[in-house]
Amino acid sequence: MTERREKSDRYWIERAYSLPHTLEELKERRLGLFGLHGGQSAFGEGLADYAHALLAGWFEHKETQPFRDIARFPLSAQLIYERSRKELGLMTTSLQRIRPFRSANGTIPVVERNSEGIAVSGSQTFAADAAHAGQLLVWIREYGDEAPTTLALVPTGSEGLKIRLHPETSSWTTVLYDRVFIPQERILLDRNAAGAELIRSHPFVQALAGYQWAARQLDVLELLTGAAFALADQTGLSKDPDIQYELGLLIQELESLKALLYAAELEAERSPAGALLPAPVPVAAAKRVGGDGYRRASELIHRIGGTELLDAPDFAAPSERSEFHRAKSREHDIRRLAWRLAGDEEAARRRQHERFAFGDPIERSKELYRHYPQHQLRERYRAFRRAIDAQAYEPQGR
C-alpha cells in the first residue's frame, strides 16, 4: 500500500468527504482512512472508505446525468452531509443484508412505513468500525427484494439501535435494529431499485470506492503472501514442487492486482464534475482478483500449516536468553499469525466476506463483461478479418 504519511486525522477525514482532482490526490487515496491515528485505526477495514467514497461520488455528481433523473441527492441529506463534514464525523456501511427477527408469531418485517419515515427491525453484520462511527450508511432490502431498494443515513445513537462486538473476535460487530425509526430527511433513496443500482454500479460513484477497496485488498494480500512464504520455509515445504507452484500462482495474483491498480491510475479520466477518477474496468477486475487472491492465499496457508496450526504449543517468552527458545518463539509467532489469518473462525468469516461482499463472483464476472468496452476488441477482430479477406482476393501470380 502507499506509504503511510504523517498527516493529521483532520486531513484524512476531510479527504474522505471529497473526490480527487489530481493524479497525486488519486494515488494518495489508496491509503484512505488507514491514515487515521498513524495507521492504527478501527476504520482500516475499508468499509468506512467505501461508504464515504459512495456518498462523495454521488454528492459531487448529483446535478449530472443520470443521477439528476434517477437518484437525486436529497436536499435534507445534503445538509446532513455538510454538517458531518464540518464536524469531522465518520460513517461506515455494511454490504451484508439485514436479517429479520423472528418471534412466536413469525418473522418480524424488516421495514414498517408511515408518512413520517420508516422503522427498521433486524440484525446486520458490520466491521469493528461501526462501534466508532457516528453514522451508518444502511442498505435495506425489503421483503421479496433481490437487491437493496432503500438507502438511509442512520445515527449510531438512534433509539433502539445497539452495537455488539462479537465475543470471539474484535473485527466484527452486530448491529441490532429494534424498531429504529428513520425520518424522511435521512432516507436517501426510498423504494428506488433503479437508483440503488445506479449508486452501486455507476463509475462516477463506484470507481473510487472500488479502487480504495482493491488497494486495501492488496495490502492484506501482501501480508497473507508473506505469511505463506514464512510458513513454507518453517515447515520445509518450500522445497515441494506443488507448493512452489501454488506460491507462484499467488505471486501472479499479487502482481496482477498491483498492475490493475496501476492501470486504473494510468487510465484515470476526468468526470463531468471535474473529479479525476480511476478507470472503472481495471478497478472492477482488481476487485475480482483481490477476492480470488484472498481465497487462494488463505487456503494455501491452511494447506501448508496443516494440523500444526491447530497445535501451537506455548513456547518460552521472547525475553528468554536462550537462542533455542528465541527460535521456538519465532516459530510459534509464525504459526499463530497463520492461524489468525487463515485458520480460525474469524478468518473463515473474513474469507467469505472478501469473496462475496460484492455479490456472487459469477454475477460480478457478468457485470465486467457488460461494462467492458467491447467495441475495441470487436474492431481488432474486424480489422483482422479485413486483412485476411484482402489477401484472399488478391490476384495470384503465376
Side-chain angles (χ1 to χ4, degrees):
M1 181 169 283
T2 305
E3 181 181 355
R4 288 172 167 78
R5 303 177 184 178
E6 294 298 327
K7 294 184 178 179
S8 69
D9 287 355
R10 171 181 286 273
Y11 177 88
W12 296 116
I13 296 174
E14 287 178 344
R15 288 294 181 273
Y17 276 92
S18 63
L19 297 180
H21 290 79
T22 68
L23 184 57
E24 180 61 29
E25 286 183 2
L26 174 58
K27 291 180 178 179
E28 186 179 64
R29 292 306 177 88
R30 283 200 187 194
L31 186 58
L33 293 171
F34 273 97
L36 287 177
H37 310 306
Q40 304 297 319
S41 170
F43 292 96
E45 291 289 338
L47 285 164
D49 282 312
Y50 198 83
H52 280 272
L54 286 179
L55 284 184
W58 184 11
F59 179 76
E60 293 202 23
H61 294 92
K62 63 182 182 297
E63 296 302 326
T64 66
Q65 294 294 358
F67 300 96
R68 181 183 292 181
D69 291 338
I70 300 176
R72 180 181 293 276
F73 202 89
L75 178 59
S76 59
Q78 181 175 329
L79 296 175
I80 293 170
Y81 185 77
E82 294 286 9
R83 185 168 65 248
S84 296
R85 174 159 55 183
K86 184 178 180 180
E87 296 173 353
L88 300 181
L90 284 169
M91 63 189 71
T92 189
T93 192
S94 172
L95 302 177
Q96 307 295 319
R97 69 169 63 216
I98 298 175
R99 298 181 297 276
F101 290 142
R102 298 188 182 277
S103 69
N105 298 323
T107 300
I108 299 174
V110 170
V111 175
E112 296 176 80
R113 297 179 175 275
N114 61 37
S115 59
E116 297 179 352
I118 60 176
V120 177
S121 299
S123 65
Q124 189 174 24
T125 300
F126 276 76
D129 55 12
H132 306 277
Q135 298 185 82
L136 305 178
L137 183 65
V138 181
W139 298 90
I140 301 171
R141 303 184 191 199
E142 299 190 42
Y143 180 78
D145 288 338
E146 292 297 323
T149 60
T150 299
L151 180 61
L153 267 176
V154 184
T156 53
S158 298
E159 183 178 356
L161 190 151
K162 298 179 181 178
I163 298 176
R164 293 181 179 173
L165 291 172
H166 283 282
E168 60 278 346
T169 170
S170 60
S171 298
W172 303 97
T173 61
T174 297
V175 173
L176 302 174
Y177 305 97
D178 184 6
R179 291 186 55 81
V180 174
F181 180 70
I182 306 174
Q184 290 290 351
E185 60 265 23
R186 286 189 164 272
I187 300 175
L188 309 183
L189 294 170
D190 190 14
R191 289 183 290 188
N192 184 346
E197 177 60 26
L198 187 67
I199 301 304
R200 285 156 54 89
S201 64
H202 197 284
F204 294 165
V205 173
Q206 188 61 233
L208 180 61
Y211 168 79
Q212 288 184 306
W213 185 273
R216 184 197 61 82
Q217 286 184 314
L218 173 60
D219 199 41
V220 175
L221 188 55
E222 287 177 336
L223 175 61
L224 286 166
T225 303
F229 270 85
L231 192 61
D233 289 340
Q234 179 184 300
T235 58
L237 289 175
S238 58
K239 299 181 177 61
D240 186 311
D242 288 339
I243 297 299
Q244 290 178 354
Y245 168 73
E246 293 292 339
L247 289 170
L249 290 179
L250 194 54
I251 293 173
Q252 179 176 302
E253 290 190 317
L254 180 62
E255 292 301 314
S256 296
L257 184 51
K258 289 181 182 179
L260 287 166
L261 286 171
Y262 178 68
E265 296 165 353
L266 193 65
E267 300 171 15
E269 295 183 353
R270 193 75 57 185
S271 78
L276 188 67
L277 298 176
V281 170
V283 166
K287 284 163 58 181
R288 178 64 193 268
V289 169
D292 288 348
Y294 192 101
R295 174 185 55 79
R296 180 185 297 278
S298 299
E299 291 174 353
L300 182 57
I301 288 175
H302 211 274
R303 177 181 172 186
I304 294 172
T307 57
E308 288 191 23
L309 292 185
L310 299 171
D311 187 28
D314 292 327
F315 293 125
S319 58
E320 292 282 353
R321 294 181 180 275
S322 164
E323 179 61 33
F324 170 79
H325 283 130
R326 285 197 294 271
K328 286 296 183 181
S329 181
R330 286 193 294 271
E331 291 179 11
H332 172 74
D333 288 342
I334 291 173
R335 289 206 297 274
R336 184 171 56 187
L337 174 62
W339 175 245
R340 180 179 176 186
L341 292 174
D344 65 8
E345 182 179 345
E346 180 180 354
R349 185 194 298 268
R350 184 176 298 280
R351 188 159 57 247
Q352 288 293 100
H353 184 267
E354 293 293 335
R355 191 175 184 198
F356 296 103
F358 298 95
D360 184 90
I362 295 176
E363 291 303 316
R364 286 160 54 196
S365 291
K366 291 179 181 178
E367 181 180 346
L368 187 58
Y369 162 78
R370 289 193 297 268
H371 291 290
Y372 192 81
Q374 298 177 28
H375 62 277
Q376 298 176 3
L377 299 181
R378 295 180 189 279
E379 181 54 37
R380 289 287 299 272
Y381 169 75
R382 284 192 288 267
F384 174 76
R385 288 298 309 172
R386 286 195 294 269
I388 294 296
D389 292 342
Q391 291 179 2
Y393 289 103
E394 281 183 1
Q396 300 295 319
R398 294 182 180 180

